[in-house]
Amino acid sequence: MKLIRFGQAGQERPGILDENGQRRDVSAFGEDYDEGFFGTDGPQRLSDWWANAQSDCPVVPGSERLGPPVHRPSKIVCVGLNYAQHAKESGMELPAEPVLLFKATSAICGPNDPLIIPKDSEKTDWEVELAVVIGKRASYVSEADAMEHVAGYLLHNDYSERAFQLERSGQWVKGKSCDTFAPIGPFLATADEISDPHQLRLWLKLNGEIMQDSNTSDLVFGIPYLIHYISQYMTLMPGDIISTGTPFGVGLGLNPPRYLKPGDEVTLGIDGLGEATQIAQAYVPN
């Protein structure tokens, strides 16, 4: 299934994309796509319900805003330097173990919401990434069993403010967590929709120019290992997001570096997970 959430920010309702690609409202199912939903085999329960209820589910107008397909995950765990070519362009050696960092969940927004360039930012950068959504509580999971804990996959633009991330003291989280720095979607594809998540093209354009164009086959650490590894250090809860890293072609790696400015249009996509577009806007105080 392809799960969507739609409506005004903070008031989203659950929906799906039907077999014709039409948006349908499944509010009558009575659950949002949150920890409780994923932790109780929600996608299968929804599929069973949909088989009998689809004729009663209203069509959602195409003009409706798409929100983030997952509601308030407990955490976003990002993996740094997880594409061989990206590590090379960053001037860093391949890590012996996964590099983990957090992204605040307050950064989450809809797939086509504006990107707000943070106050005092001069180095806001793009990063197309494959994100994995956890479907079952994972603690000390073996690599062999890891994929049993996957609910599905998302398109994610892991925006980063490089000065905040790399030129200020402390951890990278400061450069990852600004508002609107985690647009996800347009939909969550359940695990059965993606036959091999390690063979997906992912790409990103800036104002129509291809900046990133790679394949998840270049991942240094694959998804089963990442779930296994992360679960040795923290419990992954249903609905949690693992963002698996970005390929080469980020602004930081260009010569000279190139960063986003108001009016820039960023479009990105992953095979089987749709496309999204964000227009950069300057920060305006409330």
Side-chain angles (χ1 to χ4, degrees), residues 143-155:
E143 188 172 357
D145 295 336
M147 296 303 283
E148 297 176 8
H149 294 262
V150 174
Y153 304 94
L154 294 166
L155 171 64

Side-chain angles (χ1 to χ4, degrees), residues 50-128:
W50 169 254
N52 297 312
Q54 56 184 291
S55 61
D56 298 321
C57 295
V59 172
V60 178
S63 58
E64 281 273 14
R65 168 188 173 270
L66 286 177
V70 179
H71 181 51
R72 294 184 180 174
S74 77
K75 51 188 169 292
I76 305 172
V77 185
C78 297
V79 184
L81 304 175
N82 200 32
Y83 281 77
Q85 291 299 316
H86 176 52
K88 182 178 179 180
E89 75 172 347
S90 300
M92 301 180 186
E93 295 184 4
L94 289 180
E97 298 184 32
V99 175
L100 303 183
L101 51 140
F102 281 109
K103 196 176 190 83
T105 58
S106 55
I108 291 175
C109 63
N112 302 307
D113 288 348
L115 164 70
I116 306 302
I117 297 176
K119 180 181 178 182
D120 300 326
S121 167
E122 296 181 354
K123 298 182 178 180
T124 294
D125 202 351
W126 56 85
E127 296 188 20
V128 59

Side-chain angles (χ1 to χ4, degrees), residues 130 147 153 190-201 215-217 219 222-224 270-273:
L130 171 65
M147 296 303 283
Y153 304 94
T190 52
D192 59 296
E193 293 272 346
I194 303 296
S195 59
D196 185 356
H198 301 95
Q199 291 291 338
L200 301 176
R201 179 183 176 231
N215 194 287
T216 55
S217 61
L219 284 169
I223 293 165
I270 300 179
D271 287 349
L273 297 177

Side-chain angles (χ1 to χ4, degrees), residues 27 97 129:
S27 299
E97 298 184 32
E129 303 201 7

